[in-house]
Amino acid sequence: MTAEHIDINHIAALCRIDLSDEERKTLPGQIDAMLAYVQQLKAVDVQGVEPTLHALELSNVLREDKPGENFPVGTALMNAPEQRNNQIVVPRIVE
Amino acid sequence: MEKLFFKSVEDLSKMLAQKSISSVELTRIFLQRIKTVEPKVQAFLSLDEEKSLRQAEASDERRSRGQALSPLDGIPVGMKDVIAEKGQPLTCASKILEHYVSPYDATVTERLHRAGAVLVGRLNMDEFAMGSSTENSAYQKTRNPWNLEYVPGGSSGGSAAAVCAGEVPLALGSDTGGSIRQPALCCGITGLKPTYGLVSRYGLSALASSLDQIGPFARNVADLGLLLQVIAGHDDRDSTSCNVKIPNYSQFITKQQPCRIGIPEEYFSDGIDLEVRQAIENAITFYRKNGYSIVDISLPHTPYAVPVYYVVMTAEASSNLARFDGIRYSSRSSMATNATDIYFKSREEGFGAEVKRRIILGTYVLSSDHLDAYYVRAQKVRTRIREDFAKAFETVDVILSPTSPTTAFKLGEKINDPLLMYLSDIHTVSVNLAGLPGLSLPCGFSKAGLPIGFQLIGKAFHESELLSVAYQFERVHDFVQRFPMVA
């Protein structure tokens, strides 16, 4: 069984997390160990087996599309780190 | 005053009904108890005394008019800090939600309000429910009330420790891979993970959406049933909530029904502590002598449960935690100079080591090069695990196993070895993968004075059967009547 080596910089970029130099050193070894542990799943015969997305058989239940109560804007924005005129403030995105 | 804070909810509820105590008096007794033991136990992240006493006053008012809402009217309850309560903090024990205040109530919170419960405060946990010791909290390390050198289990360690130490008679937690049952075991109390879909997840901060369930902690089985009664039931706001008839749990608990108990050989491997094995075998003997038929069964895919779990859970977690972006409602890094930087830096500063580790593993198993090899394969093995249970339940009604292979471990013992920590969940994760209900019940103490517990696993939506089987054991043993000497 081939061992997997994670490209930590690539994956950290995909999930938008900056890592410290220390984390860049310690994380790959820990992740590799977990991937090696997970390799044992290859021993299971899964030919013709359907993947489980949810434990219970669920079908899509549609409800009537009618407006309910919503938050006032002030409530919806009460946890925004920066806001102005009922809008969330972010740094300039388009030059 | 005798130790009211160790009384059962049934007793306290009777006292309230007979007006031998008011909810305000009762709430003050628990708040005082919290003040006495918190310097040692550190289960609470926040308390709201004023609001609790207002809720208690309202309860007394209702009772004086003979309009009590439920047996829980006026009873203090603690909430794991992952369940929304309007106007209260919701930190998930993470720095990234340090200043977050819930704008709305979770469905379970609404239901507790409608039952008249007094919500005293918010309980510590592993950050975003990732852990088995509560040491991953960004704020504090909760101690095991039986021995302060030991962990209370996790991730709902604050909830378990608070009930154990008599700080609240009831608490809610959440369980994704064992986060209610394992801390209940570590603290010597009862805890239940309901069937997936029995309790609404609306207002629960999501870890792994196909596995998460909210569930109750209590000192004994009857109290567990009382709290389950309040929180169970269909909710339009959770698309995975099931529309099933909710039985009257209290009526079922004391009735002994004919029942076949399955003992899965794979759960009794060499890794189990001798003392734990002995206590569980005593429990099996008890059931055999008391009219239950004991059946040896096999759940052959059990060894694959932890690897499946750590692929499925991290995949779902990496996706769920993408919402913490520093833009809309989580803490924003002051170091960021442009919009993309806000994501990278806010998440670097806001998340702890374990959360980063799991997001990265989850992102890896979901990345296009590895999707089939890890995520899809794990979902297929998950099907095998479900099939194992379905087959077992053709011949038995309930399955009995250890809750965990050991008693509580020491603080610091496993924190630097993630894989070793993950193996604490070896007996609980399958239950989440299969969406079944699981209950942990105390069944002994180790020589070191730490609680031992066993787990009962039931068919989907057969919680009443679990409560009944557990009650038959509990009523002739005194394990739930022993209390830790915290203060």
Side-chain angles (χ1 to χ4, degrees):
Chain A
M1 216 151 282
T2 54
E4 298 270 356
H5 295 294
I6 187 172
D7 176 351
I8 195 73
N9 293 325
H10 172 60
I11 299 295
L14 284 180
C15 59
R16 305 285 185 270
I17 298 180
D18 266 352
L19 295 174
S20 66
D21 292 344
E22 177 65 24
E23 285 167 329
R24 278 178 212 282
K25 258 190 260 162
T26 55
L27 270 172
Q30 290 172 341
I31 302 280
D32 286 352
M34 281 149 65
L35 290 172
Y37 175 70
V38 168
Q39 296 295 322
Q40 55 182 300
L41 294 180
K42 291 191 175 156
V44 185
D45 178 13
V46 291
Q47 191 98 44
V49 176
E50 285 293 311
T52 294
L53 296 166
H54 268 278
L56 303 175
E57 307 291 330
L58 293 170
S59 52
N60 222 357
V61 183
L62 298 177
R63 61 173 163 76
E64 211 183 321
D65 183 19
K66 57 177 186 207
E69 270 180 57
N70 284 306
F71 291 151
V73 176
T75 309
L77 291 184
M78 65 188 264
N79 287 295
E82 221 184 317
Q83 55 168 299
R84 192 168 60 225
N85 303 334
N86 283 339
Q87 293 173 69
I88 293 169
V89 177
V90 291
R92 179 185 290 273
I93 295 167
V94 184
E95 293 299 328
Chain B
M1 173 83 59
E2 61 175 318
K3 287 179 176 169
L4 275 176
F5 47 77
F6 281 140
K7 277 198 175 300
S8 72
V9 175
E10 272 191 314
D11 287 348
L12 294 174
S13 187
K14 257 181 227 150
M15 292 172 70
L16 288 169
Q18 291 160 355
K19 310 228 164 32
S20 54
I21 194 166
S22 70
S23 175
V24 168
E25 287 165 337
L26 190 64
T27 302
R28 283 191 200 284
I29 287 169
F30 278 102
L31 289 171
Q32 183 53 48
R33 173 70 178 169
I34 291 170
K35 284 206 182 94
T36 311
V37 301
E38 265 305 287
K40 289 179 177 164
V41 179
Q42 299 187 64
F44 279 91
L45 287 175
S46 58
L47 275 175
D48 193 334
E49 293 187 40
E50 214 183 289
K51 182 211 64 179
S52 314
L53 290 167
R54 270 203 315 275
Q55 289 178 343
E57 272 170 37
S59 170
D60 288 335
E61 172 79 14
R62 282 190 295 274
R63 287 212 186 255
S64 72
R65 284 184 273 119
Q67 291 171 347
L69 297 167
S70 83
L72 294 198
D73 203 331
I75 302 283
V77 178
M79 297 280 259
K80 184 177 182 180
D81 205 12
V82 70
I83 300 168
E85 182 186 351
K86 192 175 177 179
Q88 294 295 315
L90 176 76
T91 68
C92 298
S94 180
K95 286 281 176 212
I96 211 161
L97 288 173
E98 191 171 2
H99 306 293
Y100 187 89
V101 175
S102 293
Y104 67 94
D105 278 333
T107 297
V108 293
T109 309
E110 268 182 20
R111 285 171 165 269
L112 282 168
H113 286 320
R114 285 208 300 268
V118 174
L119 303 183
V120 291
R122 318 278 311 164
L123 291 157
N124 197 22
M125 54 188 278
D126 284 298
E127 183 178 0
F128 286 109
M130 296 182 188
S132 309
S133 68
T134 311
E135 291 167 289
N136 290 330
S137 167
Y139 299 102
Q140 65 198 33
K141 294 200 189 336
T142 300
R143 309 298 176 122
N144 190 316
W146 291 99
N147 185 330
L148 301 173
E149 303 286 305
Y150 285 75
V151 301
S155 67
S156 312
S159 303
V163 172
C164 171
E167 297 178 78
V168 275
L170 294 171
L172 286 185
S174 63
D175 189 316
T176 305
S179 284
I180 290 174
R181 291 158 287 158
Q182 186 259 9
L185 147 81
C186 290
C187 292
I189 60 168
T190 64
L192 174 76
K193 183 207 89 79
T195 307
Y196 186 82
L198 183 74
V199 177
S200 169
R201 294 181 296 112
Y202 179 76
L204 168 71
S205 182
L207 165 53
S209 306
S210 81
L211 304 166
D212 298 341
Q213 268 292 287
I214 295 171
F217 284 96
R219 196 165 280 301
N220 65 49
V221 173
D223 292 356
L224 203 60
L226 288 175
L227 185 49
L228 181 65
Q229 196 76 55
V230 171
I231 60 172
H234 180 251
D235 179 20
D236 283 343
R237 293 173 296 186
D238 173 1
S239 60
T240 61
S241 160
C242 290
N243 207 341
V244 291
K245 193 171 179 296
I246 306 299
N248 182 334
Y249 295 112
S250 297
Q251 276 181 358
F252 274 96
I253 287 173
T254 49
K255 279 192 200 138
Q256 183 175 351
Q257 307 277 358
C259 179
R260 298 161 299 174
I261 300 179
I263 311 297
E265 55 172 320
E266 293 82 2
Y267 283 63
F268 291 84
S269 63
D270 297 340
I272 300 176
D273 274 5
L274 217 56
E275 286 180 289
V276 172
R277 181 186 292 271
Q278 191 55 55
I280 309 274
E281 278 170 8
N282 292 346
I284 295 171
T285 305
F286 164 83
Y287 281 116
R288 184 178 284 124
K289 285 185 179 161
N290 284 275
Y292 292 83
S293 62
I294 304 295
V295 184
D296 287 326
I297 58 164
S298 174
L299 299 166
H301 291 88
T302 299
Y304 303 107
V306 174
V308 168
Y309 176 74
Y310 276 91
V311 173
V312 171
M313 178 270 296
T314 56
E316 293 186 17
S318 71
S319 167
N320 275 327
L321 270 63
R323 72 191 60 175
F324 300 107
D325 55 8
I327 304 280
R328 293 163 300 162
Y329 49 73
S330 48
S331 297
R332 182 181 289 186
S333 169
S334 56
M335 307 296 285
T337 51
N338 60 54
T340 324
D341 230 22
I342 290 180
Y343 303 147
F344 282 97
K345 295 220 158 54
S346 302
R347 289 161 70 80
E348 179 196 8
E349 293 168 20
F351 290 142
E354 180 63 21
V355 176
K356 287 178 189 165
R357 196 150 47 222
R358 293 200 195 188
I359 291 176
I360 284 172
L361 181 60
T363 304
Y364 182 87
V365 300
L366 285 179
S367 61
S368 52
D369 290 347
H370 308 285
L371 188 69
D372 286 334
Y374 290 102
Y375 186 57
V376 176
R377 175 165 283 267
Q379 287 182 314
K380 288 180 177 174
V381 182
R382 183 177 181 184
T383 305
R384 288 285 194 219
I385 290 168
R386 282 174 55 210
E387 289 167 352
D388 282 356
F389 280 106
K391 187 156 177 281
F393 282 126
E394 286 171 9
T395 53
V396 300
D397 306 297
V398 166
I399 294 169
L400 189 153
S401 81
T403 304
S404 189
T406 65
T407 54
F409 43 91
K410 276 194 171 156
L411 276 108
E413 193 178 317
K414 300 186 181 180
I415 196 72
N416 294 317
D417 188 343
L419 206 50
L420 189 65
M421 184 76 89
Y422 297 169
L423 292 174
S424 312
D425 300 333
I426 196 160
H427 292 148
T428 46
V429 292
S430 298
V431 177
N432 300 73
L433 292 169
L436 302 170
L439 183 155
S440 183
L441 184 75
C443 67
F445 283 84
S446 68
K447 286 194 195 77
L450 292 163
I452 300 172
F454 67 83
Q455 171 180 236
L456 295 169
I457 306 166
K459 296 175 187 168
F461 303 110
H462 284 231
E463 279 77 4
S464 48
E465 206 159 11
L466 295 187
L467 292 165
S468 155
V469 173
Y471 176 79
Q472 292 305 324
F473 182 86
E474 182 189 84
R475 75 187 178 89
V476 292
H477 293 87
D478 73 340
F479 303 119
V480 301
Q481 274 122 39
R482 299 190 202 174
F483 310 113
M485 296 284 292
V486 190

